[in-house]
Amino acid sequence: MIPVMQLIYLGAFLIGLVFGEQTDNDNDDSPSTMLEMPQHTIIKEYFREEFDDEDEWEKRWVQSKHRSDYGKFRVASGRFYGDREKDKGLKATEDTKYYAVSARFPPFNNEGQTLVLQYTVKYDQHVDCGGAYVKLYSADLVQEVMNEDSEYYIMFGPDICGEDKKIVQVIFNYKDDYYLIKKNITCETDDFTHLYTLILRPDLTYEVKVDNYVAEAGHLEDDWDFLPPRKIVDHDMAKPDYWDEREIVEDPMDKKPDDWDQPERIPDPNVTKPDDWDEEMDGEWAPPSVPNPEYRGKSGTIFDNFLITNDEQYAEDAGNEMWGPTFEREWKRRQGQDVVYKKINENEEPKGKEGKKEKRKKKDRNVKDEL
């Protein structure tokens, strides 16, 4: 099963994709799971989800009841998108909530085959501390009680916490212990939709791709501590008398940040009260509001374009097909916004009474020229 776990400030999301119940249909060659390429190579599409059928996703995904106050998901395109309808995904909707939802798919055995986990993430808000992980679980997971302590096989995805931690996590369960990748892979932090891909090959090599470009690659035995360490603890050495057993202590210098409770929108600091503003005639003046860059958003992350397959070329093509147009639409819209903003700044009208008089004179001259 694959769930997505996301930690956003005070909230957590577990979006799960679960191996199906064990059956005799592991080698099912039905059209819904098998695609035949022109080169006669059989491609297995173990799981695919694009949330493109309105509310039908609710029939495929199960909300965990482990907690009574889990937040709700809905399909939406968010605040920034390229196309409101085409760019919809599974969106977290409530602040300061935990989330847990999962989907089940037919079981498979990847022995001797490549395994690819792929999906997209869009942070539709400023992320101060949060992750958007995908987890692969066993078929025996009970979806109704899935939670952050449920044992998983693989965890993969972006993880952001403060200015120093902006990485892609890759964690494996090996002999009931969890092993983290030893390399630092940088994740994306903007509000565009980004594609994350993990490729595991039978020869124990791997690749991590971001937006279909290789961000990191190597050998599993080199980049995870699966093997016994070359040096071990000397149990004959006595513990020093001054040794402090406490793993964590309170920081006496730590205090609540001044910007802890930042509003989502603030008055525009670049706009001043016009010189000719008359409060009797115009009412009380207030500057327009703009998004607060210091706002620490909590909900709003959007998950989409899930794919599990045994063919990395097929995954790359599917990524270009599912994620590519979304990313292009977002870029075009952002570029359009930038053009509009630039025009507004370049053609800014003069402020104050004198500016208005000059504007009227200019208009009068234009009318006379036309006559």
Side-chain angles (χ1 to χ4, degrees):
M1 156 193 172
I2 288 190
V4 174
M5 173 180 175
Q6 177 178 352
L7 302 175
I8 293 287
Y9 194 36
L10 299 178
F13 306 93
L14 288 175
I15 303 177
L17 312 177
V18 190
F19 284 111
E21 297 295 334
Q22 297 294 337
T23 67
D24 296 329
N25 298 323
D26 289 15
N27 297 318
D28 180 17
D29 293 343
S30 63
S32 62
T33 57
M34 303 289 289
L35 298 176
E36 186 167 352
M37 306 300 286
Q39 300 86 352
H40 305 291
T41 300
I42 300 299
I43 307 300
K44 183 90 173 186
E45 188 178 90
Y46 301 123
F47 181 83
R48 184 163 179 162
E49 175 66 86
E50 298 178 64
F51 303 103
D52 56 0
D53 52 1
E54 300 299 333
D55 295 332
E56 291 298 307
W57 71 273
E58 295 178 350
K59 299 177 181 178
R60 300 186 294 272
W61 294 75
V62 176
Q63 173 77 39
S64 173
K65 298 180 177 62
H66 179 74
R67 292 175 56 128
S68 61
D69 60 344
Y70 277 135
K72 302 298 182 183
F73 282 104
R74 67 183 176 90
V75 170
S77 53
R79 292 182 291 184
F80 171 68
Y81 49 82
D83 185 294
R84 184 189 293 273
E85 292 300 319
K86 295 178 181 179
D87 298 341
K88 288 182 176 180
L90 194 62
K91 179 179 183 293
T93 63
E94 300 175 81
D95 290 349
T96 63
K97 289 283 188 178
Y98 284 86
Y99 294 76
V101 64
S102 63
R104 187 175 292 276
F105 54 87
F108 66 89
N109 187 338
N110 68 309
E111 183 177 358
Q113 301 182 53
T114 295
L115 176 64
V116 184
L117 312 181
Q118 181 169 277
Y119 69 110
T120 62
V121 172
K122 178 169 71 173
Y123 291 114
D124 200 43
Q125 75 294 321
H126 173 75
V127 178
D128 178 68
C129 189
Y133 317 134
V134 170
K135 288 183 178 179
L136 183 64
Y137 286 86
S138 169
D140 60 5
L141 177 78
V142 180
Q143 292 174 265
E144 288 75 12
V145 295
M146 183 185 71
N147 60 80
E148 62 274 14
D149 295 323
S150 299
E151 185 175 340
Y152 60 85
Y153 291 145
I154 299 172
M155 187 178 95
F156 167 65
D159 185 12
I160 301 170
C161 195
E163 292 299 320
D164 300 326
K165 185 178 182 181
K166 299 177 181 179
I167 63 174
V168 179
Q169 293 275 21
V170 187
I171 302 176
F172 295 114
N173 184 329
Y174 179 65
K175 295 184 177 180
D176 296 327
D177 284 329
Y178 292 115
Y179 294 86
L180 283 68
I181 189 171
K182 295 186 288 185
K183 290 182 176 178
N184 189 1
I185 308 173
T186 303
C187 71
E188 299 291 344
T189 60
D190 56 41
D191 58 353
F192 288 92
T193 298
H194 292 285
L195 181 71
Y196 290 89
T197 307
L198 172 64
I199 302 171
L200 304 175
R201 304 188 183 98
D203 63 358
L204 301 185
T205 60
Y206 77 93
E207 282 186 6
V208 173
K209 300 169 74 176
V210 179
D211 295 344
N212 261 342
Y213 289 95
V214 178
E216 191 54 78
H219 196 279
L220 295 179
E221 292 181 350
D222 294 333
D223 296 339
W224 283 265
D225 289 325
F226 297 126
L227 302 178
R230 296 180 180 180
K231 295 182 179 181
I232 60 174
V233 176
D234 183 357
H235 295 286
D236 295 329
M237 180 175 287
K239 182 175 65 175
D241 295 334
Y242 58 82
W243 194 262
D244 190 339
E245 292 283 358
R246 294 175 299 172
E247 184 175 353
I248 299 176
V249 296
E250 291 186 4
D251 183 355
M253 304 300 293
D254 189 32
K255 64 176 183 178
K256 181 179 178 180
D258 295 334
D259 63 348
W260 186 257
D261 295 316
Q262 287 286 346
E264 185 173 356
R265 299 181 70 83
I266 59 174
D268 190 338
N270 299 317
V271 176
T272 58
K273 182 178 177 180
D275 296 335
D276 63 344
W277 188 269
D278 188 332
E279 293 203 353
E280 258 186 48
M281 298 286 295
D282 303 322
E284 184 179 354
W285 183 84
S289 64
V290 294
N292 182 2
E294 301 300 324
Y295 173 66
R296 302 183 180 192
K298 303 168 190 68
S299 67
T301 300
I302 298 175
F303 304 89
D304 201 2
N305 303 313
F306 289 98
L307 177 66
I308 308 176
T309 180
N310 66 356
D311 187 277
E312 51 191 282
Q313 184 60 54
Y314 178 70
E316 180 173 323
D317 294 340
N320 288 330
E321 172 194 334
M322 295 187 290
W323 158 81
T326 296
F327 194 70
E328 290 177 5
R329 287 191 292 264
E330 290 172 349
W331 266 110
K332 287 181 179 178
R333 181 167 186 183
R334 181 56 52 79
Q335 289 173 340
Q337 291 174 342
D338 291 344
V339 169
V340 171
Y341 295 150
K342 184 177 180 182
K343 286 183 178 179
I344 291 175
N345 292 332
E346 288 178 348
N347 301 313
E348 185 177 3
E349 296 181 2
K351 297 178 181 179
K353 294 180 180 178
E354 296 303 318
K356 289 183 178 180
K357 290 179 181 178
E358 181 60 33
K359 182 180 177 182
R360 291 194 192 99
K361 290 180 180 178
K362 183 178 180 182
K363 183 177 180 181
D364 292 341
R365 286 197 297 269
N366 292 338
V367 171
K368 291 178 180 177
D369 291 342
E370 291 176 3
L371 294 174

